[in-house]
Amino acid sequence: MSSPAERYAAARRRAAQASQFPALDEFALDLGFDLDDFQREACQALERGSGVLVCAPTGAGKTVVGEFAVHLALRGTPGQPAEGTRRKCFYTTPIKALSNQKYHDLVDRYGAEQVGLLTGDNAINGDAPVVVMTTEVLRNMLYAGSATLEGLAYVVMDEVHYLADRFRGGVWEEVIIHLPASVTLVSLSATVSNAEEFADWLVTVRGETAVVVSEHRPVPLWQHMLVGKRMFDLFHDADAARKHDVHPELLRYTRDTMRRLELGEGRSAGPGGGRRGPRWRGPMRPDIVDRLDREGLLPAILFIFSRAGCDAAVQQCLAAGLRLTSPEERAEIRRVVESRVTAIPGEDLSVLGYWEWLDGLERGLAAHHAGMLPAFKEVVEELFVRGLVKAVFATETLALGINMPARCVVLERLVKYNGEAHVDLTPGEYTQLTGRAGRRGIDVEGHAVVVWSPETDPRHVAGLASTRTYPLRSSFRPSYNMAVNLVGTVGAEPARALLESSFAQFQADRSVVGLARQVQRNTETIEAYGADAACHHGDFDEYFALRVAIADRERALARQGQSQRKAAAVASLERLRVGDVIRVPSGRRAGLAVVLDPATGGFGEPRPLVLTQDRWAGRVSPGDFTTPAEVLARIRVPKHFNHRSPAARRDLAAEVSGTGLDRHGGRRGRSRQAVGEDHRLSQLRAELRRHPCHACPDREEHARWAERRRRLERDTEELRQRVAGRTGSLARTFDRIVALLTARGYLAPDGAVTDAGRMLGRIWTEADLLVAECLRRGVWDGLSPAELAAAVSVVVFEARRDVDERASLPRGGVSEAVDATLKLWSEIEADEASRGLAVTREPDLGFAWPIYRWARGEALAKVLASGHEIDGEMPAGDFVRWARQVVDLLGQLADSGGASAELRSTARQAIGAVNRGVLAYHAAA
């Protein structure tokens, strides 16, 4: 208990702060809780007029700082001010779900007339003093010079660490660079390890910016490992966590478990048994949920990095008879669900697995992943936040989404598929996933549980849990749309300067400083090596250059001889016929063999099928022949010879042996003629012997120093090239893009933006140039609404995994339009490749049939079954997501000045045809 004097001093400090920061004092009174130190520090910086960057863990309450910016904007307009004096605040978020959530939060606090919402789907009260929007909407406003920007005083960028996102990250940098200097920027980020670097960049482009970093979690997080049926603490105490010291009991138990597994494997591999022993079977998913329930750790999010795995987990829990809800909770769940799905047609609900989904929800269980219908995902989120759903099996996309905290987070594995390969979780990803554990104001502590398997080392988990290395890396790069907008807004030269002020160039330039220092150190070392290599007999550099030239020539001749030998082997294998007896000179199959199938006429190297005298049948390649294959004899091979029959192989192998030929022949050594008789090599060797340094007794010592210097010179040259590549790299890319756009008529030779360029500047999609070319060439003219939806889908859709065969297309107009689109893409790709630009992604035909059928009014079941998927039908969530993107592009076509009146009308009709059923619900939501 503090003394009266201490309480009096604290009251004096609060009073002084209130007089110094009156707006913060007003704001804090309405909150209903005390501000944390980092929140107070950031809000004070804002009230002083400084920009601010706040980095704090998930759930720490960063958004309070953003809400204070809203308060400051509205405070400047007491009552109903005159239109010209009012100040505005824009609150930007990376995804529509977050925008919707923040909009409702602000409406609850300030009233619907003070708050607006602008996303790709919704426009509500866009002229309000406070507008919540996605970052792309603000970027588009800045390029269009929108009147809505008038009076803008504050911009809050929530989840600003999204600028590392490789697809959309550049938008954040565009906004930060282009915002008027009068706007105060509030950047809210997850904990990143290079916050100071990011803040230094913000200072260079935005002026004064305070950095407030908090590592403190408001709800402490306890880390555990579940090994079989036993739960262990990962660390003994907080001190051990700081030192990464794993709990000794956990280490001992996992080592014993591994030893038992290895002993079991050794016993099981009996005579002739190549099978591994008993595989480790971790705890079943229903058992994990049941265990969490018994220990009072629900609600929980169980991260499983697979959509199918999430759905299977719910089914496994249902099959095990788990029920986590009371009768009252079940009734409330059913009421919420039925009120949310009334707009979805009944026949679609059965296709979407509605009844199984509802059964899981009523028992307190649900999956959450991108393959689910968005309406279903939103219901799961609402029920989980209200504590009605107790266990959610989710992919990592949930960690990037809306506010959905839990008491406990479980990680089933520490490996995930990133679209190309299975990769380990990074410390940043681990922190983000486990950051969901612990609900502020509800839980005293949060819990993170990693399920142990033989591949999981507790010390590796300790490293992940204790490391805060999550550096922010820029993903910014100039695009065609950005180039025409920049040139149109500020001109070509100022546009280059703007690009050079990006965070991407800032990071590249900083890395150049370290590289340049290394080049300087290397140059000094090279001079020192040069002194050690000096020879008093003559110019050792000249002598060493001869030695290098001789080594290079010998290597070139060896390569030439090797390629000639391979070419001769290929030619000899191509001439073989059935029944030819040859000798395989080396390798495991060395010896006599008879040709069963010459395998000529195909693509690639010849690989004839042969049978050796050891009764092995298989294909041989040119790599098995160090010398050309020579036909030594011929024997008759039966017409329908079956090389899979042991008896047939035995009989024919006996015939091969019966030829009497020597199995190995007279093994000839490789000819050294090529090296020995080369005229240029002889000349170089003669020059070397005549050189004065050849007689130096220390020549080998000098040569060693010269070799070190040569290697260092080569490494230094590589470093210099990297420095040159990074310095001004974005500006060089921009120049190439401008040159391509000028050649194609989007920019005039004098740098002015043409009509075509203005059209391109209003196309917001990854394949912006391809869409503009399709419009200019009239590729989509004359199509019906359903055909147009299918034709434009190929430029937005991207399959989750590569499929080998080309997807089929509806006949007629769609097929012709897609062929024309592919032709235009190949022209653009060739142009980009010749200029050293990153090439536009190839159109993907996999969504054409589903969207075509949907736009024609066909049933959802038939539509999902027509997807070009590797593993069956297209998930409903994917269908809705891609259909929304098609609608977004159709909307751009409907408003495009570069499209014909007929095409604009067709695009509007296509939007109407697509926005039905599950899409109509999604649009309304």
Side-chain angles (χ1 to χ4, degrees):
M1 188 72 183
S2 57
S3 67
E6 285 169 337
R7 287 200 298 276
Y8 175 70
R12 288 284 302 270
R13 277 198 303 275
R14 281 198 299 275
Q17 279 184 348
S19 63
Q20 196 180 349
F21 300 104
L24 178 57
D25 196 48
E26 273 173 36
F27 175 72
L29 284 173
D30 293 340
L31 282 177
F33 58 85
D34 290 336
L35 289 170
D36 290 340
D37 290 346
F38 87 91
Q39 292 168 329
R40 186 172 295 281
E41 185 188 342
C43 291
Q44 287 174 355
L46 261 183
E47 191 166 353
R48 281 196 300 267
S50 167
V52 66
L53 166 66
V54 182
C55 297
T58 304
K62 299 184 285 288
T63 52
V64 167
V65 183
E67 286 164 11
F68 180 59
V70 171
H71 175 79
L72 286 175
L74 292 174
R75 190 174 183 265
T77 58
Q80 292 298 316
E83 200 63 29
T85 60
R86 78 175 182 175
R87 299 195 302 169
K88 291 182 181 178
C89 175
F90 287 173
Y91 197 112
T92 73
T93 71
I95 53 178
K96 292 169 189 172
L98 268 174
S99 293
N100 294 336
Q101 190 179 45
K102 182 51 65 179
Y103 168 72
H104 291 302
D105 291 348
L106 292 174
V107 165
D108 290 346
R109 180 159 184 171
Y110 297 109
E113 68 285 348
Q114 296 277 51
V115 185
L117 174 68
L118 293 173
T119 66
D121 299 337
N122 284 313
I124 303 168
N125 197 15
D127 292 324
V130 178
V131 185
V132 183
M133 60 183 70
T134 48
T135 318
E136 278 86 352
V137 170
L138 179 53
R139 186 268 313 267
N140 299 356
M141 275 187 190
L142 289 165
Y143 280 143
S146 170
T148 316
L149 295 166
E150 227 173 282
L152 183 60
Y154 296 94
V155 166
V156 180
M157 300 196 82
D158 203 353
E159 312 278 353
V160 77
H161 53 270
Y162 254 79
L163 69 76
D165 183 85
R166 109 187 133 100
F167 298 112
R168 299 170 55 216
V171 177
W172 274 253
E173 288 186 52
E174 286 181 79
V175 168
I176 292 168
I177 292 167
H178 290 305
L179 275 175
S182 58
V183 176
T184 301
L185 187 68
V186 180
S187 306
L188 309 178
S189 169
T191 314
V192 293
S193 53
N194 60 336
E196 287 73 17
E197 179 188 38
F198 184 50
D200 289 347
W201 173 68
L202 284 173
V203 168
T204 64
V205 291
R206 303 292 323 157
E208 188 187 349
T209 304
V211 190
V212 179
V213 178
S214 171
E215 291 279 358
H216 173 70
R217 279 181 53 97
V219 180
L221 178 67
W222 294 97
Q223 310 269 354
H224 312 278
M225 283 200 85
L226 183 61
V227 189
K229 293 184 177 179
R230 289 192 61 180
M231 183 92 81
F232 294 89
D233 290 338
L234 184 60
F235 303 113
H236 179 61
D237 53 27
D239 192 43
R242 276 192 293 277
K243 295 176 183 170
H244 301 205
D245 288 342
V246 178
H247 201 298
E249 197 181 338
L250 168 62
L251 277 178
R252 193 162 48 247
Y253 189 79
T254 52
R255 281 178 189 143
D256 289 348
T257 307
M258 283 295 290
R259 205 170 294 121
R260 281 197 302 274
L261 281 170
E262 284 161 8
L263 285 171
E265 285 178 6
R267 277 198 302 272
S268 69
R275 285 187 59 79
R276 292 168 66 85
R279 279 194 317 122
W280 167 255
R281 293 191 184 279
M284 303 296 283
R285 289 159 178 167
D287 296 340
I288 295 175
V289 175
D290 189 45
R291 171 82 180 258
L292 296 176
D293 188 26
R294 288 200 313 274
E295 297 197 9
L297 293 178
L298 295 180
I301 300 169
L302 296 93
F303 284 108
I304 299 171
F305 302 120
S306 141
R307 296 175 177 189
C310 292
D311 293 334
V314 174
Q315 293 306 315
Q316 288 158 13
C317 291
L318 294 180
L322 273 186
R323 192 182 291 281
L324 307 171
T325 51
S326 66
E328 296 76 25
E329 286 174 328
R330 287 199 286 282
E332 177 62 9
I333 288 167
R334 184 172 277 269
R335 189 195 64 73
V336 170
V337 171
E338 287 175 350
S339 69
R340 295 290 184 278
V341 300
T342 48
I344 301 175
E347 65 271 17
D348 288 353
L349 287 177
S350 56
V351 174
L352 297 165
Y354 169 75
W355 299 108
E356 297 88 339
W357 173 68
L358 178 59
D359 185 25
L361 289 177
E362 288 186 334
R363 295 190 193 203
L365 300 157
H368 186 289
H369 56 73
M372 289 169 66
L373 191 71
F376 285 14
K377 271 201 306 183
E378 287 159 21
V379 170
V380 170
E381 288 159 6
E382 181 185 342
L383 295 175
F384 188 78
V385 169
R386 289 178 57 182
L388 294 168
V389 164
K390 318 290 184 182
V392 167
F393 297 93
T395 56
E396 79 275 18
T397 51
L398 185 142
L400 307 171
I402 65 161
N403 183 26
M404 212 172 134
R407 181 168 294 163
C408 177
V409 163
V410 177
L411 297 180
E412 193 175 75
R413 298 177 69 204
L414 296 177
V415 174
K416 66 168 190 172
Y417 185 72
N418 67 358
E420 293 167 4
H422 286 90
V423 294
D424 290 338
L425 283 185
T426 64
E429 287 166 334
Y430 182 88
T431 304
Q432 206 163 26
L433 294 168
T434 55
R436 292 271 167 199
R439 296 163 298 172
R440 190 170 191 174
I442 302 173
D443 299 322
V444 179
E445 57 195 26
H447 298 268
V449 179
V450 174
V451 180
W452 183 84
S453 69
E455 301 81 45
T456 312
D457 184 347
R459 285 164 301 195
H460 172 62
V461 180
L464 286 175
S466 312
T467 311
R468 288 287 176 267
T469 52
Y470 177 53
L472 204 52
R473 291 276 169 262
S474 172
S475 60
F476 180 81
R477 62 182 180 84
S479 67
Y480 299 113
N481 166 290
M482 187 197 300
V484 291
N485 278 311
L486 279 175
V487 171
T489 311
V490 297
E493 276 310 307
R496 285 177 101 255
L498 272 173
L499 287 176
E500 290 189 322
S501 67
S502 68
F503 187 46
Q505 193 60 59
F506 184 82
Q507 286 191 312
D509 291 345
R510 281 212 163 178
S511 67
V512 159
V513 173
L515 292 175
R517 284 202 194 107
Q518 187 62 48
V519 166
Q520 182 59 37
R521 282 196 295 271
N522 286 4
T523 306
E524 290 165 9
T525 310
I526 285 166
E527 287 172 11
Y529 285 174
D532 290 327
C535 175
H536 64 280
H537 281 265
D539 185 347
F540 199 83
D541 287 350
E542 190 179 79
Y543 177 74
F544 187 71
L546 284 170
R547 287 176 70 136
V548 170
I550 288 168
D552 289 346
R553 184 66 183 163
E554 285 175 344
R555 269 196 300 273
L557 289 169
R559 273 197 305 272
Q560 187 183 326
Q562 200 175 355
S563 63
Q564 283 171 351
R565 280 195 299 276
K566 186 172 180 182
V570 167
S572 67
L573 291 182
E574 284 172 342
R575 289 194 293 268
L576 294 178
R577 293 176 300 158
V578 176
D580 285 348
V581 177
I582 59 172
R583 184 179 289 113
V584 181
S586 60
R588 285 188 305 157
R589 310 301 174 198
L592 298 174
V594 60
V595 177
L596 304 177
D597 172 21
T600 54
F603 293 105
E605 295 178 338
R607 297 185 69 239
L609 178 66
V610 301
L611 173 72
T612 67
Q613 63 191 114
D614 297 326
R615 303 180 194 174
W616 174 82
R619 296 197 177 274
V620 289
S621 70
D624 296 314
F625 292 83
T626 48
T627 56
E630 193 180 337
V631 179
L632 306 172
R634 280 186 62 75
I635 61 174
R636 185 182 164 279
V637 176
K639 192 166 185 183
H640 300 293
F641 180 77
N642 179 8
H643 67 273
R644 290 189 175 84
S645 160
R649 287 206 305 272
R650 183 191 61 221
D651 294 345
L652 193 59
E655 276 195 60
V656 173
S657 299
T659 56
L661 294 165
D662 182 6
R663 180 186 181 92
H664 300 295
R667 288 178 179 252
R668 290 172 295 175
R670 287 188 184 177
S671 163
R672 299 193 50 83
Q673 149 275 329
V675 175
E677 293 180 14
D678 181 67
H679 174 68
R680 176 64 187 141
L681 192 58
S682 305
Q683 202 177 6
L684 286 168
R685 283 179 173 154
E687 282 180 48
L688 186 79
R689 284 192 293 273
R690 285 198 300 272
H691 199 283
C693 291
H694 194 64
C696 177
D698 298 324
R699 76 170 185 226
E700 292 310 313
E701 182 65 19
H702 295 324
R704 273 193 289 278
W705 286 111
E707 177 59 26
R708 284 176 193 158
R709 183 176 69 169
R710 185 171 79 99
R711 283 184 189 156
L712 196 57
E713 280 171 344
R714 191 173 58 218
D715 294 346
T716 307
E717 187 51 39
E718 278 179 24
L719 286 174
R720 285 197 181 102
Q721 284 171 6
R722 280 165 66 190
V723 168
R726 291 184 189 185
T727 309
S729 52
L730 284 177
R732 275 200 302 279
T733 303
F734 177 73
D735 290 342
R736 290 169 190 160
I737 285 173
V738 166
L740 186 149
L741 292 173
T742 305
R744 287 183 169 267
Y746 292 93
L747 295 172
D750 63 356
V753 180
T754 64
D755 288 343
R758 278 185 281 281
M759 172 190 70
L760 173 59
R762 293 292 163 266
I763 295 169
W764 313 99
T765 182
E766 203 185 336
D768 45 13
L769 182 59
L770 180 56
V771 171
E773 288 288 299
C774 287
L775 283 174
R776 290 175 77 190
R777 310 279 183 96
V779 166
W780 296 323
D781 290 346
L783 298 176
S784 70
E787 287 173 336
L788 180 61
V792 302
S793 76
V794 304
V795 296
V796 294
F797 178 70
E798 186 174 7
R800 289 179 70 223
R801 291 186 178 89
D802 288 338
V803 182
D804 290 337
E805 71 273 14
R806 172 176 156 155
S808 62
L809 291 167
R811 287 202 186 94
V814 178
S815 188
E816 289 165 16
V818 169
D819 285 344
T821 305
L822 287 167
K823 187 168 179 289
L824 282 175
W825 169 78
S826 60
E827 289 173 15
I828 292 170
E829 185 208 29
D831 206 350
E832 289 167 330
S834 69
R835 295 174 191 273
L837 289 166
V839 296
T840 300
R841 182 174 57 78
E842 185 177 0
D844 192 321
L845 283 49
F847 194 57
W849 263 118
I851 196 70
Y852 177 71
R853 285 188 159 152
W854 182 254
R856 286 181 59 187
E858 295 187 26
L860 183 63
K862 197 171 179 184
V863 168
L864 297 180
S866 63
H868 189 62
E869 299 285 305
I870 294 174
D871 44 7
E873 65 179 36
M874 172 173 265
D878 288 347
F879 171 71
V880 170
R881 188 169 75 257
W882 290 116
R884 295 304 309 153
Q885 293 205 25
V886 169
V887 166
D888 181 62
L889 182 53
L890 287 169
Q892 293 179 42
L893 299 186
D895 297 335
S896 172
S900 65
E902 182 199 356
L903 179 60
R904 290 201 298 273
S905 169
T906 308
R908 280 189 283 274
Q909 291 172 49
I911 292 170
V914 173
N915 275 338
R916 66 179 183 87
V918 288
L919 267 296
Y921 169 85
H922 187 57

